[in-house]
């Protein structure tokens, strides 16, 4: 454990969280380097000597320091935009270990990715295949492609983060895949080298993942009969983490399931974990501005808000929240923890039993994934800084934004005529 309580104080590795809050102010994201490394290495070690590639899903947390840490451990990257590719390159990531997912790749993004010689495009529609073929032709370069197959399994997760059902916008239908592979196989400059799927996020049940994996290998065998030889199978990400009392899917259990499903097949295995590498590696520190006691509800108004952490508002997601300013005398009360934004949906936690005083610092847990990357500047709120902890040392890996940053690309209106 790298984020835990020692004699009542929250520590991130060997650094006291309350010290971090004092030094850098709040709201403030804080990550443990060791936690990120440990989570990555659990995947890596589970594969042992087996040929594989772990493509960290950059959208979970795209800070270049975090990409750099993972890159140094040998990680590849799953990207969903040209912007994420630029980040990977800036962080020293290897483009030949990059797979490019997403339903809306523009010509510009495809051109850029081809020039950087990425490993594979994960194609999500027939039209995208033709677009990639045209760009590859124009550049006189070959594009490795895989189709993201929608295996039509119910991942049993939140509807907004479930992606593997027929009605989702993602991927191509499993029954249509053989036809698409045949087309791809005949197109000049297109090499159908892989196949991929990703059925959803925050999955806590391994059964749908196994069902999807079985459908993948079945399809690979069918394609082989048509002389289309698939070199890698990408099983996506989606492993859930513990936010409240979920039982997460262990990295080891997930990998051994994949090895069992592969049953001696020789293709390279790719996985695309995001949340399970960074989710529990970060906390958001926030200070209590006001306590508001009403006849029906008590509110803690903090200096963080839905613009800093969108998951509670967006998905009704639960994040554990505790008071890290050490006091043991005050009786606890039931509170909603809310931000200063002018939206009723601006809450970070509901009905939490906390003892609280104005000025105390709260820690919001498990925010390393889809925290900072989903933040915004709504209500002209500068984004929080990101601090990386390694042992007892602190590194500012993103400075707090200034108000001037927010309107630096704006101009006042022209004079009225
Ligand atoms: C978001 C995403 C992932 C990562 O999902 P996690 O739940 O964070 O592991 C992997 N692959 C694709 C295509 C994604 O869109």
């Amino acid at each position: 454990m790298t984020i835990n309580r020692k004699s009542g104080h929250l520590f991130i590795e060997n650094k006291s969280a309350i010290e971090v809050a004092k030094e850098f102010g709040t709201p403030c994201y804080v990550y443990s380097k060791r936690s990120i490394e440990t989570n990555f290495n659990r995947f890596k070690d589970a594969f042992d000597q087996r040929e594989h590639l772990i493509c960290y899903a950059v959208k979970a947390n795209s800070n270049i320091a975090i990409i750099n840490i993972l890159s140094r451990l040998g990680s590849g990257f799953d990207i969903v935009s040209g912007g994420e590719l630029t980040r990977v390159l800036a962080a020293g990531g290897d483009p030949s270990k990059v797979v490019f997912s997403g339903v809306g790749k523009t010509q510009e993004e495809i051109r850029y990715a081809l020039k950087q010689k990425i490993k594979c495009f994960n194609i999500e529609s027939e039209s995208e295949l033709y677009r990639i073929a045209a760009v590859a032709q124009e550049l006189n370069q070959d594009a490795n492609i895989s189709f993201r197959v929608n295996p039509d399994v119910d991942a049993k997760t939140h509807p907004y983060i479930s992606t593997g059902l027929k009605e989702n916008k993602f991927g191509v239908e499993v029954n249509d895949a053989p036809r698409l592979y045949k087309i791809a196989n005949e197109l000049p400059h297109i090499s159908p080298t892989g196949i991929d799927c990703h059925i959803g996020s925050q999955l806590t049940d391994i059964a749908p993942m196994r069902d999807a994996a079985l459908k993948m290998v079945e399809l690979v065998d069918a394609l082989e009969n048509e002389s289309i030889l698939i070199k890698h199978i990408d099983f996506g990400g989606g492993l859930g983490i513990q936010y409240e009392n979920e039982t997460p899917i262990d990295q080891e259990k997930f990998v051994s399931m994949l090895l069992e499903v592969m049953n001696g097949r020789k293709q390279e295995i790719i996985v695309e974990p995001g949340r399970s590498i960074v989710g529990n590696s970060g906390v958001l520190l926030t200070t209590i501005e006001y306590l508001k006691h009403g006849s029906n509800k008590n509110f803690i108004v903090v200096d963080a808000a839905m613009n800093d952490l969108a998951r509670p508002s967006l998905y009704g997601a639960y994040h554990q929240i505790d008071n890290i300013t050490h006091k043991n005398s005050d009786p606890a009360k039931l509170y909603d923890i809310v931000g200063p934004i002018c939206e009723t949906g601006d809450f970070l936690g509901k009905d939490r039993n906390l003892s609280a005083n104005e000025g105390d610092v709260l820690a919001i847990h498990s925010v390393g994934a889809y925290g900072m990357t989903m933040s915004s500047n709504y209500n002209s709120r500068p984004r929080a800084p990101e601090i990386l902890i390694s042992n007892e040392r602190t590194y500012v890996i993103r400075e707090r934004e200034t108000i001037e940053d927010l309107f630096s690309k704006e101009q006042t209106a022209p004079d009225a005529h």
Side-chain angles (χ1 to χ4, degrees):
M1 287 291 279
T2 48
I3 300 180
N4 60 3
R5 285 192 163 269
K6 289 178 207 159
S7 54
H9 291 276
L10 183 71
F11 276 79
I12 295 127
E13 301 197 12
N14 289 321
K15 182 79 183 177
S16 143
I18 206 84
E19 291 298 318
V20 177
K22 271 195 204 127
E23 202 171 329
F24 299 98
T26 58
C28 163
Y29 275 97
V30 193
Y31 309 121
S32 157
K33 179 166 180 271
R34 198 189 311 149
S35 171
I36 295 167
E37 291 171 335
T38 302
N39 290 334
F40 178 86
N41 284 329
R42 281 181 67 182
F43 279 105
K44 189 168 159 180
D45 295 345
F47 279 109
D48 197 16
Q49 301 300 316
R50 174 66 167 86
E51 191 189 3
H52 73 278
L53 181 63
I54 302 159
C55 289
Y56 166 67
V58 173
K59 74 178 189 293
N61 189 320
S62 55
N63 187 292
I64 60 171
I66 287 170
I67 296 174
N68 179 252
I69 290 167
L70 292 169
S71 172
R72 283 193 263 169
L73 297 175
S75 187
F77 299 96
D78 170 49
I79 60 163
V80 292
S81 71
E84 287 188 348
L85 179 53
T86 308
R87 282 182 174 273
V88 167
L89 298 173
D94 179 352
S96 74
K97 292 183 180 173
V98 167
V99 298
F100 192 170
S101 305
V103 294
K105 302 176 191 78
T106 65
Q107 270 182 6
E108 211 43 59
E109 288 175 317
I110 293 165
R111 198 170 290 128
Y112 175 43
L114 261 177
K115 283 185 183 161
Q116 297 300 331
K117 302 202 163 54
I118 64 162
K119 181 178 177 75
C120 191
F121 289 89
N122 291 345
I123 295 187
E124 306 225 13
S125 65
E126 187 168 350
S127 296
E128 184 188 334
L129 170 66
Y130 299 132
R131 179 177 279 185
I132 292 174
V135 178
Q137 181 97 41
E138 166 204 314
L139 297 180
N140 194 26
Q141 235 181 285
D142 288 347
N144 293 329
I145 65 109
S146 88
F147 284 99
R148 174 170 177 179
V149 171
N150 186 333
D152 195 28
V153 297
D154 186 356
K156 301 189 183 72
T157 184
H158 190 284
Y160 283 13
I161 52 178
S162 170
T163 58
L165 278 172
K166 266 192 183 153
E167 62 256 37
N168 294 126
K169 69 175 177 180
F170 299 101
V172 302
E173 286 189 24
V174 63
N175 296 329
D176 199 23
R179 181 183 71 85
L180 293 168
Y181 272 97
K182 267 180 245 164
I183 298 174
N185 206 30
E186 316 262 283
L187 283 171
H189 297 294
I190 293 287
S191 307
T193 50
I195 188 167
D196 81 289
C197 73
H198 172 73
I199 61 169
S201 203
Q202 185 52 19
L203 310 190
T204 49
D205 184 359
I206 200 165
M209 292 181 137
R210 187 166 182 280
D211 292 345
L214 284 167
K215 286 198 180 184
M216 286 302 108
V217 296
E218 208 177 284
L219 188 53
V220 166
D221 292 347
L223 292 172
E224 201 159 295
N225 287 334
E226 310 263 0
S227 304
I228 297 169
L229 302 181
I230 298 299
K231 294 193 192 128
H232 74 249
I233 310 183
D234 179 342
F235 294 99
L239 283 79
I241 61 167
Q242 186 173 18
Y243 286 102
E244 190 173 8
N245 42 28
E246 305 91 337
T247 313
I249 300 172
D250 292 348
Q251 287 93 326
E252 293 80 10
K253 209 167 135 191
F254 174 66
V255 171
S256 73
M257 179 277 285
L258 294 180
L259 296 177
E260 181 250 319
V261 167
M262 286 295 278
N263 189 22
R265 284 178 184 79
K266 292 286 178 282
Q267 289 86 0
E268 179 187 24
I269 299 178
I270 300 183
V271 291
E272 302 172 344
R275 190 190 312 267
S276 52
I277 290 180
V278 290
N280 274 324
S281 305
V283 296
L284 175 61
L285 303 179
T286 182
T287 302
I288 299 178
E289 295 287 351
Y290 300 102
L291 296 180
K292 253 180 102 164
H293 298 283
S295 51
N296 283 324
K297 274 256 178 219
N298 301 312
F299 294 98
I300 295 177
V301 184
V302 294
D303 64 1
M306 66 188 282
N307 76 295
D308 300 299
L309 179 66
R311 297 187 73 260
S313 308
L314 191 57
Y315 312 120
Y318 178 95
H319 286 271
Q320 188 194 317
I321 300 177
D322 39 66
N323 189 336
I324 62 167
T325 301
H326 191 54
K327 293 197 187 66
N328 35 30
S329 51
D330 312 309
K333 280 198 192 73
L334 212 54
Y335 287 103
D336 281 6
I337 294 97
V338 302
I341 285 184
C342 301
E343 297 279 347
T344 304
D346 179 25
F347 64 91
L348 299 164
K350 288 199 161 168
D351 296 324
R352 303 302 174 85
N353 210 31
L354 282 173
S355 104
N357 292 290
E358 293 179 359
D360 287 356
V361 177
L362 305 183
I364 305 176
H365 291 266
S366 314
V367 299
Y370 308 107
M372 187 63 175
T373 50
M374 293 180 94
S375 65
S376 77
N377 293 121
Y378 189 37
N379 280 207
S380 284
R381 292 170 49 83
R383 279 187 182 76
E386 294 176 288
I387 314 296
L388 182 73
I389 310 283
S390 178
N391 200 2
E392 76 295 318
R393 298 192 59 179
T394 54
Y395 302 86
V396 180
I397 58 172
R398 193 178 204 272
E399 289 174 25
R400 187 183 301 284
E401 284 175 346
T402 66
I403 300 288
E404 289 72 22
D405 288 336
L406 306 196
F407 58 81
S408 66
K409 303 227 183 278
E410 299 174 22
Q411 279 188 14
T412 53
D415 291 339
H417 292 289

